[in-house]
Amino acid sequence: MDARSRRALIILGLTLGAFLLSLLWEGPRSLYTHAAVICLDCIGIL
Amino acid sequence: MAKGVEKRKRGPERYRWRSQAAGLLLLNPFFGYFISRTPYEGPLKGICAPGLNCYACPFTAFACPVGGLQYGFALLRDRAAETILKGFGVILYVGAFLSFVGTLVGRLPCGWICPFGLFQELVHRVPLRKRGFPRRVASLRYPILLGLVLLLPLLTGASWFSRLCPAGFLEGALPLKAIPPASPLPKAGGLLWFKAVLFGALIVWSALVYRPFCRAVCPLGTIWGEFHRVSLFRLDAKLALCSSCGKCSGSCPVDLELPEELSSPRCIRCLRCVGSCPHGVISAGFRWGSREKVTEKGV
């Protein structure tokens, strides 16, 4: 395995760790509650 | 004809428009809005879209990762520990998504999926005399990412990039104005008009320059571009076969000097260079380990 693939593998491992940690702090659920309603910033309503 | 726009596409790029059309439909499949007049609120909205696709769009089924990132940083401004932890959760979740896609394929979604990239490419087909794109303008994307997506939301608690985002105007504001939702929205103020002006300016710029938003502004492309040094999907060049004819550089729509800049963060991975080389010097694909003897120059 070359150095680049090794680096990619390490990053993927860290990514998995970050994902698991995000579950602990309700990351997906919080994003869902935010994204499910119309984003007024995006459509230019403040 | 614009630089890099060939009449007949060769190599993998000839399948690209189909992939972009499929991306547009897959990210915006909720045609039920025409009947219900209520945007999609199902569980997919908790998953990030692999492209700049506004989550205010009434047809979209996914969340915009740039919007999600801003939301996460904005939550950190709160004083309640529970909200701050939620902010960290969102940042880690969106960060993990961006890192996962970036490590696997880099900016491949920019060239093959992103609906806003497709929109700019369509506008670029307007028959006007095309202009060059100064390289230093491309550096704007770093302060935009840092300032509008990370720092300002952290300091003010508001999503500043979303407030200016032209994709939000195209995919969110315009459809919602044309087909209003069942529950009426608050009255729009001056920001909507400011966004309309920015969007108009981008249309003119896109007609003159190939995908200027992707090259100078897009935070998503900026983040994924930084993964090109490690991504498993790679562009490689067998330099021993290269006759330095310059056809690859001539075909590159984002004006990269090829094959030297194959791993540049500015590459949108359209793969036009792969088909342009008459000697098959440039190849693209997933490389795991060092099974194939390839030579690659750096950024």
Side-chain angles (χ1 to χ4, degrees):
Chain A
M1 188 186 292
D2 63 352
R4 180 170 168 154
S5 301
R6 249 194 319 271
R7 280 201 298 270
L9 205 62
I10 291 168
I11 294 172
L12 286 176
L14 291 172
T15 297
L16 182 67
F19 174 69
L20 294 176
L21 209 55
S22 81
L23 292 180
L24 199 67
W25 291 330
E26 297 184 342
R29 185 183 293 181
S30 303
L31 181 66
Y32 168 77
T33 51
H34 174 67
V37 294
I38 295 174
C39 165
L40 297 181
D41 283 326
C42 301
I43 60 173
I45 297 173
L46 286 179
Chain B
M1 183 162 286
K3 179 182 182 295
V5 178
E6 293 174 20
K7 279 184 182 168
R8 198 171 162 189
K9 291 169 181 170
R10 287 171 296 183
E13 210 226 348
R14 65 181 184 274
Y15 303 110
R16 198 163 67 91
W17 76 266
R18 293 183 193 120
S19 169
Q20 288 174 300
L24 175 67
L25 288 175
L26 284 173
L27 296 184
N28 300 284
F30 188 64
F31 296 109
Y33 177 76
F34 284 114
I35 300 162
S36 69
R37 294 291 178 97
T38 306
Y40 174 75
E41 293 171 352
L44 291 176
K45 269 276 172 87
I47 299 172
C48 292
L52 196 74
N53 196 68
C54 186
Y55 48 18
C57 175
F59 307 109
T60 193
F62 298 94
C64 171
V66 178
L69 211 52
Q70 292 173 88
Y71 174 62
F73 277 93
L75 286 179
L76 297 187
R77 197 171 176 271
D78 203 278
R79 287 186 181 175
E82 192 186 345
T83 311
I84 292 172
L85 285 179
K86 275 185 182 174
F88 278 122
V90 173
I91 292 168
L92 283 172
Y93 178 54
V94 178
F97 167 78
L98 294 173
S99 169
F100 179 72
V101 174
T103 310
L104 281 187
V105 294
R107 286 189 79 169
L108 198 67
C110 299
W112 290 72
I113 296 174
C114 183
F116 201 58
L118 172 64
F119 170 74
Q120 290 170 84
E121 286 185 28
L122 292 175
V123 174
H124 194 64
R125 286 176 179 263
V126 174
L128 287 175
R129 193 179 161 202
K130 305 305 174 189
R131 304 293 169 104
F133 182 82
R135 284 201 164 199
R136 58 180 178 278
V137 178
S139 306
L140 277 176
R141 64 197 201 281
Y142 293 107
I144 287 172
L145 169 66
L146 204 66
L148 295 179
V149 179
L150 309 180
L151 280 178
L152 276 176
L154 180 67
L155 296 173
T156 64
S159 301
W160 282 93
F161 185 83
S162 295
R163 287 181 176 180
L164 305 174
C165 181
F169 184 81
L170 173 69
E171 298 163 7
L174 284 184
L176 288 170
K177 275 277 172 201
I179 315 162
S183 22
L185 294 166
K187 200 169 183 294
L191 179 65
L192 182 66
W193 295 108
F194 184 61
K195 281 183 82 128
V197 171
L198 284 181
F199 181 67
L202 180 72
I203 286 185
V204 175
W205 201 13
S206 300
L208 301 173
V209 176
Y210 184 83
R211 293 180 68 155
F213 182 87
C214 310
R215 297 162 80 178
V217 181
C218 184
L220 205 50
T222 305
I223 293 169
W224 280 336
E226 295 306 314
F227 284 90
H228 281 176
R229 291 183 185 91
V230 293
S231 64
L232 294 173
F233 183 88
R234 306 178 193 181
L235 283 170
D236 291 310
K238 292 170 187 154
L239 295 176
L241 301 176
C242 181
S243 64
S244 303
C245 66
K247 283 189 177 167
C248 48
S249 293
S251 72
C252 179
V254 293
D255 305 321
L256 296 177
E257 293 296 328
L258 300 175
E260 288 81 5
E261 293 184 311
L262 281 178
S263 293
S264 167
R266 291 182 292 126
C267 172
I268 59 165
R269 294 290 191 248
C270 68
L271 310 186
R272 188 175 291 171
C273 56
V274 175
S276 74
C277 180
H279 310 296
V281 170
I282 300 175
S283 61
F286 286 95
R287 312 259 193 262
W288 185 258
S290 52
R291 280 176 299 167
E292 192 178 342
K293 182 82 177 164
V294 289
T295 313
E296 185 187 356
K297 291 189 177 179
V299 177

